[in-house]
Amino acid sequence: MAVGREDVEILKPRIDKREYRRIVLRNSLQVLLISDLDTDKCAASMNVGVGSFCDPDGLEGLAHFLEHMLFYASEKYPLEDSYSKYITEHGGSTNAFTASEMTNYYFDVNTDCFEEALDRFAQFFIKPLMSADATMREIKAVDSENQKNLLSDAWRMNQLQKHLSLESHPYHKFSTGNWDTLDVRPKAKGVDTRQELLKFYEDKYSANLMHLVVYSKESLDKIQCLVEDKFQEIQNSDRSRFQFPGQPCTSEHLEILVRAVPIKQGHKLRIVWPITPSILHYKEGPCRYLGHLIGHEGEGSLFYVLKKSGWATGLSAGEGEWTSEFSFFNVVIDLTDAGQDNMQDIVGLLFKYIQLLQQSGVCKWIFDELSAVCETGFHYQDKISPIDYVVNISSNMQIYPPKDWLVGSLLPSDFNPAIIQKILNELSPENVRIFWESKKFEGLTDKVEPWYGTAYSIEKVSSSKIQAWMSSAPNENLHLPAPNVFIPKDLSIKNAQEEVKFPVLLRKSSYSKLWYKPDTVFSTPKAYVKIDFNCPHAGNSPETEVLGDLFARLLLDYLNEYAYYAQVAGLLYGISHTDSGFEVTLVGYNHKLRILLETIIDKIVKFEVKPDRFSVIKEMEIKDYQNFKFQQPYQQAMYYCSLILKDQTRPWVERLDVLPRLNVEDLTNFAPMMLSQAFLECYIAGNIEREEAESMVQHVEDVFFKGPNPICRPLFPSQFLTNRVVKLERGMNYCYSKEGLNPSDENSALVHYIQVHQDDFILNVKLQLFALVAKQPAFHQLRSVEQLGYITVLMQRNDSGICGVQFIIQSTVKSNVNALIDMKLEKHKNLREESRFYWREITDGTLKFDRREAEVAALKKLTQQELIEFFNENVKVGATRKKTLSVRVHGNQHLAEYHSQKSEAVQPNTIQINDIFSFRRSQPLYGSFRGGIGHVKL
């Protein structure tokens, strides 16, 4: 029985049709019930107010380890891994994360089996079983998770900041845990990790510290009965909330300059100040206001000046890690090589901008504008998946009063200059911590961070020194942003003139095709526009590929100071290089979208190469290619897999080889040649009428193809682009082995791919059903039982309509048809998700917009015997028609095995691939859907 319903008015978005109710169970568990009659998935999230700050000394990572252990089994459901198996078999997913002051457990599942799933989930918090056997195995999984983080700069720099803080403060701790902290060290002290684990759970996990969100299709009354039945047995030991008063940084940790050596190429400056947590003033939004101004990219901003000087390629500003007791404000600047040489001027300019904010005073019009953008963003937010929604809300419940559980700190509405001024005053030279990362510091450091092995050195940097940097910094015209012309005023919903279920081909010419899909589902004032420029001259050599990429990056670079205002106002845009040219994407409020599109088109037409920007963008691109070798081994293996299978793809090393030689003149000559012939594939969807859509594409056509000297000519029939994929031979196993690209990485990876068929509804559903049935057993066997590593995945693979399944492993060591039908019939949550689905059909050339309905129809006819025959023929070990490709990437621990393999005799029906391109040239290809019959006919 619930202690009671508290009918608090919970602020929700205007367009939100869901119903909400807050209840408190008699064990003091606070619950938010959400009823959504339109949902295809149910979800739940339990937020426990216990995190890594609660780890006992000498048992670093215990809270995170407990999070892993609760998934194993419970008294009520003792079969190991039966919870995860049940969720996966019923179309769901499940996970958890541990933060400093909370641990969050969550899942989603198909609607018809939510009750049992919720019962299994509740047992985490009632009577979990943490067997000794599982304890040892899961310590290895935690260690494997930590292994994959060791070469990640984000993890390394985060821990370095923690390391340089007060040892007695929990912020200082290492929170992930590893074999050493959870096994070796405790054993040496005679401590039993499992006993400590059980004690930690009993002592700290209490119902009054938990917040539950339950999201279902049922009515609120029904959900309430369900929750009262399942969760009231959670023990309430009436624990007071864990609090960690005090500041992690004393004077010893301020006014410091830390030089650190990263793993990847590139230079970064992180300027950090401890500040008053803005959670204490979330309605006034001080950090949102200051982050908006310091992080602005329009003309007169700090970033604009740094970019113009050729010193920076990216800048972000805002509140970083925080609790209710302490917080940090971060400014992160990505530096060019020239920026690396001018660090003092950059820091000087940052403090000059802060000085400008001091002198300008807190501006009401800027706050009001920001508040208006936030309000529109909240009330017209896209619906997201229930699983993400419940996690966001359950985390909010620990922090905010009930009326703000949905909105959190998204709506700064109270203008209070004194509070903003207070935080601004804290961004002072006396309070600063500067972290400066660069490979150039290799060999010049004298300290090592103990958990990740990051090399660093530290020196004091006085406020008088920073004042001197400010004085010597260049005199630039720093000023506040202009009023934002992109803020939408017209948020009305247009009436779709016709009920269109799928995209329709609205117009077709020798220059373009326009696919159109008015919004009949989401009722938001937003649109999605995609224009794909297919240019035959764009990708016929490594040089043209690189030049195409430079072209797209420079366009974005030129647009930035103008179009950044659109981004702030909720109108996002992108220009990206593709295999066949480039594509322009706009998504967001439709009111000012046409203005932005026309500006982008104008920039493309008037494209010129600015030598100073060319050299900066080229330097960035070289570093990106050099950093490829620091990708996780499984990502490298997947890359090789794609290179083997996809015709006309080129290796990144060829692009890196040609890039340094390319100059301004090369790009100046290339751009008009690339644009000299093109075909535009367009997709326009959302709150846009058909005449508007046609007129947009007509405008683009007129600019490129009309007039006395047109920029573009249409393609010849022979020039339409295709997607071809290697057709593996039945009964053969192809193998490719490669050394890992990063000699420091101990991890190895295997991608085992089984190619099955070319897009066909009946075969598609057989493959999908096999993948669903096999997914959780494969994960449990590979990760939990055989201890093969943290990343163990079974997933479907689709290369331009060629379908298969792949197993991915990275390490240092009954068929449910209804579940799949429910998953396939899951509605798109928002316009962007729907548009991506249809755009994939267009770019693959498959054009099966009714794919989900057709595959469900095929599924309903499928028998168990047919699935077994499919498995025996295509997947089973030893199947005579099976076609497999195994790609292995060997880390430094497994190099001996790699070299010995090369000399071993090849097994029957196995082909060792030594040269990818010789292999590809010798293989037959599947036909291409794209550019195929009917798709090109004009």
Side-chain angles (χ1 to χ4, degrees), residues 542 545 639-655 726 736 738 912-925:
E545 272 189 30
Y639 159 77
Y640 291 126
C641 198
S642 294
L643 200 57
I644 290 166
L645 291 171
K646 293 183 181 179
D647 192 40
Q648 300 299 323
T649 48
R650 290 188 183 82
W652 65 275
V653 284
E654 289 182 6
R655 297 198 288 274
V726 166
Y736 181 72
K738 196 82 175 151
Q912 192 73 43
I913 301 171
N914 295 316
D915 178 328
I916 289 178
F917 307 103
S918 303
F919 169 75
R920 224 165 57 182
R921 283 189 287 267
S922 69
Q923 296 303 300
L925 303 172

Side-chain angles (χ1 to χ4, degrees), residues 15-280:
I15 60 171
D16 188 353
K17 297 187 181 73
R18 295 169 287 208
E19 292 186 308
Y20 299 86
R21 179 185 294 167
R22 173 186 183 244
I23 62 169
V24 182
L25 301 191
R26 62 170 180 232
N27 58 0
S28 297
L29 174 67
Q30 293 199 56
V31 188
L32 182 67
L33 314 173
I34 306 176
S35 169
D36 178 0
L37 302 179
D38 293 330
T39 192
D40 311 295
K41 278 272 199 292
C42 293
S45 168
M46 177 74 90
N47 194 79
V48 184
V50 176
S52 56
F53 277 11
C54 289
D55 284 347
D57 287 340
L59 275 168
E60 292 84 358
L62 193 68
H64 177 221
F65 178 43
L66 173 60
E67 171 229 296
H68 277 239
M69 286 303 299
L70 293 189
F71 281 80
Y72 264 83
S74 62
E75 272 191 19
K76 185 168 181 183
Y77 299 101
L79 188 65
E80 197 173 278
D81 207 49
S82 60
Y83 161 77
S84 299
K85 186 169 185 286
Y86 183 85
I87 298 287
T88 307
E89 283 179 352
H90 294 91
S93 58
T94 176
N95 213 331
F97 65 84
T98 305
S100 52
E101 294 191 303
M102 61 175 72
T103 305
N104 198 300
Y105 303 84
Y106 52 94
F107 76 91
D108 67 357
V109 76
N110 291 340
T111 53
D112 58 349
C113 39
F114 186 48
E115 184 168 349
E116 184 174 335
L118 201 62
D119 191 49
R120 288 169 177 274
F121 180 67
Q123 302 309 310
F124 279 36
F125 314 102
I126 297 169
K127 288 223 169 134
L129 290 180
M130 297 186 245
S131 71
D133 175 44
T135 302
M136 288 314 291
R137 278 186 279 133
E138 206 53 33
I139 290 176
K140 286 184 181 163
V142 169
D143 187 64
S144 189
E145 183 176 348
N146 182 60
Q147 286 285 337
K148 86 172 171 56
N149 299 337
L150 290 179
L151 297 176
S152 156
D153 283 325
W155 284 91
R156 293 164 73 86
M157 293 314 299
N158 185 38
Q159 192 63 42
L160 181 58
Q161 290 182 51
K162 289 170 177 290
H163 181 62
L164 297 174
S165 69
L166 207 55
E167 272 188 53
S168 58
H169 196 284
Y171 174 73
H172 182 84
K173 291 178 178 177
F174 167 60
S175 58
T176 311
N178 60 23
W179 185 254
D180 203 32
T181 67
L182 295 171
D183 186 73
V184 178
R185 291 186 194 183
K187 270 184 185 157
K189 292 186 205 153
V191 172
D192 182 330
T193 301
R194 180 166 173 268
Q195 287 309 314
E196 291 297 321
L197 185 75
L198 297 171
K199 198 164 91 186
F200 186 89
Y201 179 82
E202 287 302 318
D203 179 43
K204 303 206 165 27
Y205 271 45
S206 171
N208 71 306
L209 297 181
M210 298 181 185
H211 293 89
L212 174 69
V213 182
V214 177
Y215 190 114
S216 170
K217 210 177 176 69
E218 303 290 353
S219 68
L220 289 174
D221 289 342
K222 271 194 173 169
I223 310 172
Q224 180 166 338
C225 290
L226 191 63
V227 167
E228 287 170 1
D229 177 46
K230 306 289 181 208
F231 289 91
Q232 62 191 1
E233 284 176 55
I234 299 175
Q235 176 198 334
N236 177 21
S237 47
D238 220 15
R239 285 268 355 190
S240 48
R241 198 175 145 232
F242 292 100
Q243 288 184 310
F244 307 93
Q247 293 300 308
C249 295
T250 62
S251 58
E252 177 195 343
H253 310 110
L254 304 175
E255 293 189 297
I256 56 171
L257 171 61
V258 179
R259 290 175 172 83
V261 181
I263 296 292
K264 290 188 172 182
Q265 293 292 338
H267 325 284
K268 247 192 182 63
L269 258 182
R270 295 172 200 268
I271 299 99
V272 181
W273 295 267
I275 57 162
T276 304
S278 68
I279 187 64
L280 305 176

